């Protein structure tokens, strides 16, 4: 599963849904928007890569994801053919300032590219710290607000998920889309991603509703949401909430108020199949959501489990993808492997969940499958694209 070229803090507990409405985010100064051309490397020698992981924060969940990221990176190294990686780990310690310090230390010790950090504040700080050195950063964050310059995102963005699902809905006759969002910062970013996706598609924004993220807030808002969506003639309702938040209550109350599956197609920005118990919710039967290529993702999980005797954290595949992409670029591009033009080459890479590519603005495009919950099971209704440029992108 190595990558190939030329193929057309509250958040961590909820990261099981990779496209969930949790942003690995903290707001702060954005990285520079120029530079990041990338250093020249000796492709015949092991390539020095700094893995930036959130150890040292005192948070057990940070330690768990850090271990899984490092294990996945080393698994990818073992899968490379003819390319050696000198992987050195650096702790971000739960602090943006420490992340910047660690990034400077890593480059001083010879790192030619940074893989990580996890949180966007730390990623931003690390990227700014090494920008003048011409070193690029492949962050695990999904926060598009920090992307640009020498900072590239590996995390699947809300924009990517929203574009995939809106495109699928429009192609399948669901073009009058109503958006329902909670009033949290993460859900607001998700709402804007959906609205933007609708605006650039053949679909129509039927209307929007927001609600206070609490049991009482959902209960109070549900009748009005249902009434407004029906009055707007919505044939689809796109939710920003996930099953760790308001979605279970929305899926119960909206059908009770006349806005169920027989009235409008439910679409989720988050993974509706996580946790697995959510598959039995009556209100979610027939709903759509996006997910990585199930076959490739399962193969990665099995490979990880065989190597380490445990399941990978849901974000572990990002570290594997980063190392696999670096290895493929070194093999194909030699001394110029880590330049901006190499990292953003259009044919992309094959990762643990399908093809992906880095864009010039620092964001990414990832191939996603569209799935539906049917009879308490997940059924893929539109497979993840195998190449860029066709349906699904």
């Amino acid at each position: 599963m190595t990558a190939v070229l030329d193929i057309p803090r509250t958040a961590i507990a909820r990261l099981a849904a990779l496209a969930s409405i949790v942003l690995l985010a903290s707001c702060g100064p954005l990285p520079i928007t120029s530079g990041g051309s990338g250093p020249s490397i000796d492709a015949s020698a092991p390539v020095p890569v700094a893995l930036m992981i959130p150890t040292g924060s005192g948070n057990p969940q940070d330690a768990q994801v850090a271990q899984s990221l490092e294990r996945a990176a080393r698994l990818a190294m073992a899968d490379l053919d003819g390319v050696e990686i000198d992987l050195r780990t650096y702790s971000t310690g739960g602090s943006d300032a420490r992340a910047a310090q660690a990034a400077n230390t890593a480059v001083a010790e010879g790192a030619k590219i940074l893989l990580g950090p996890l949180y966007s504040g730390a990623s931003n700080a690390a990227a700014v710290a090494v920008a003048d050195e011409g070193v690029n950063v492949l962050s695990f964050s999904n926060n598009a607000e920090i992307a640009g310059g020498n900072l590239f995102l590996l995390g699947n963005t809300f924009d990517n998920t929203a574009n995939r699902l809106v495109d699928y809905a429009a192609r399948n006759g669901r073009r009058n889309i109503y958006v329902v969002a909670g009033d949290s910062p993460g859900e607001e970013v998700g709402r804007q991603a959906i609205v933007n996706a609708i605006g650039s598609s053949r679909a129509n924004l039927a209307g929007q509703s927001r609600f206070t993220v609490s049991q009482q807030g959902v209960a109070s808002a549900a009748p009005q949401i249902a009434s407004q969506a029906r009055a707007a003639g919505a044939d689809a309702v796109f939710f920003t909430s996930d099953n760790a938040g308001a979605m279970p209550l929305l899926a119960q109350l909206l059908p009770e108020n006349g806005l169920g599956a027989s009235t409008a197609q439910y679409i989720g920005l988050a993974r509706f199949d996580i946790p697995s118990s959510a598959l039995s919710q009556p209100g979610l039967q027939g709903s759509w959501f996006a997910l990585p290529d199930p076959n490739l993702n399962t193969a990665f999980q099995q490979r990880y489990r065989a190597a380490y005797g445990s399941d990978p954290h849901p974000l572990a595949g990002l570290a594997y993808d980063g190392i696999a992409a670096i290895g493929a670029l070194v093999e194909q591009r030699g001394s110029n492997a880590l330049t901006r033009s190499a990292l953003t080459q259009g044919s992309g890479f094959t990762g643990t969940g399908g093809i992906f590519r880095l864009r010039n603005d620092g964001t990414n495009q990832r191939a996603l499958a569209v799935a539906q919950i049917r009879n308490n099971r997940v059924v893929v209704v539109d497979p993840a694209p195998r190449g860029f440029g066709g349906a699904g992108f």
Side-chain angles (χ1 to χ4, degrees):
M1 275 182 48
T2 55
V4 295
L5 295 175
D6 302 319
I7 295 181
R9 233 126 202 263
T10 54
I12 277 291
R14 299 172 64 189
L15 285 176
L18 286 181
S20 122
I21 208 60
V22 173
L23 269 176
L24 295 180
S26 63
C27 295
L30 300 184
I32 61 171
T33 56
S34 61
S37 58
S40 178
I41 64 170
D42 179 0
S44 65
V47 180
V49 176
L51 178 65
M52 314 285 288
I53 51 177
T55 50
S57 70
N59 186 332
Q61 293 170 339
D62 283 350
Q64 177 191 9
V65 69
Q67 179 187 60
S68 202
L69 287 166
E70 181 174 359
R71 285 178 168 180
R74 297 195 181 281
L75 190 65
M77 289 166 56
D79 287 346
L80 296 178
D81 184 13
V83 174
E84 292 187 44
I85 301 292
D86 178 10
L87 188 71
R88 307 169 189 181
T89 61
Y90 296 85
S91 172
T92 60
S95 160
D96 298 354
R98 186 168 170 184
Q101 182 181 28
N104 280 324
T105 300
V107 172
E109 292 177 351
K112 300 299 183 182
I113 193 167
L114 306 186
L115 181 58
L118 174 63
Y119 296 108
S120 65
S123 298
N124 179 79
V128 171
V130 302
D132 288 344
E133 304 296 329
V135 174
N136 289 310
V137 177
L138 303 182
S139 167
F140 301 131
S141 175
N142 65 342
N143 185 0
E145 291 185 358
I146 66 167
N150 63 328
L151 178 54
F152 298 89
L153 304 181
L154 289 172
N156 182 44
T157 66
F158 297 154
D159 288 328
N160 189 67
T161 301
N163 287 334
R164 174 66 165 114
L165 288 166
V166 168
D167 174 74
Y168 179 76
R171 287 190 286 112
N172 286 272
R174 303 288 184 166
R175 297 182 180 176
N176 210 28
I177 302 175
Y178 196 89
V179 181
V180 176
D183 61 1
S184 70
E187 294 204 43
E188 171 57 26
V189 175
R191 182 198 66 80
Q192 190 59 57
I194 297 169
V195 171
N196 291 343
I198 293 171
S200 60
S201 74
R202 295 174 294 165
N204 171 63
L205 180 61
Q208 304 180 58
S209 287
R210 296 177 179 85
F211 59 87
T212 301
V213 182
S214 68
Q215 184 171 350
Q216 182 58 46
V218 176
S220 298
Q224 185 177 23
I225 293 172
S227 175
Q228 291 178 345
R230 291 197 311 271
D235 53 26
V237 181
F238 206 143
F239 298 94
T240 61
S241 300
D242 61 19
N243 286 319
M247 199 59 223
L249 194 54
L250 287 167
Q252 173 189 337
L253 296 180
L254 291 181
E256 290 177 0
N257 283 276
L259 188 66
S262 61
T263 305
Q265 174 67 52
Y266 280 13
I267 307 173
L269 191 64
R271 289 276 299 271
F272 280 170
D273 61 329
I274 297 174
S276 58
S277 58
L279 293 174
S280 62
Q281 292 184 61
L284 289 182
Q285 300 305 307
S287 62
W288 294 341
F289 58 93
L291 74 171
D293 185 304
N295 293 328
L296 291 177
N297 199 41
T298 298
F300 165 68
Q301 291 175 345
Q302 292 174 342
R303 177 93 167 79
Y304 184 102
R305 196 176 299 117
Y308 301 113
S310 61
D311 291 329
H313 187 278
L315 293 178
L318 298 178
Y320 187 106
D321 290 356
I323 291 295
I326 291 168
L329 288 171
V330 171
E331 182 179 1
Q332 297 290 328
R333 301 271 186 140
S335 62
N336 295 319
L338 304 182
T339 62
R340 165 178 287 276
S341 62
L343 291 170
T344 59
Q345 54 82 35
S347 56
F349 313 93
T350 296
T352 56
I355 59 172
F356 70 97
R357 62 183 175 187
L358 303 174
R359 306 177 71 180
N360 283 322
D361 64 0
T363 62
N364 63 66
Q365 287 182 301
R366 284 186 171 271
L368 298 172
V370 178
Q372 185 175 46
I373 298 178
R374 293 180 186 171
N375 299 319
N376 305 338
R377 298 179 58 226
V378 176
V379 177
V380 173
V381 294
D382 196 37
R386 297 301 178 97
F388 294 101
F393 280 106

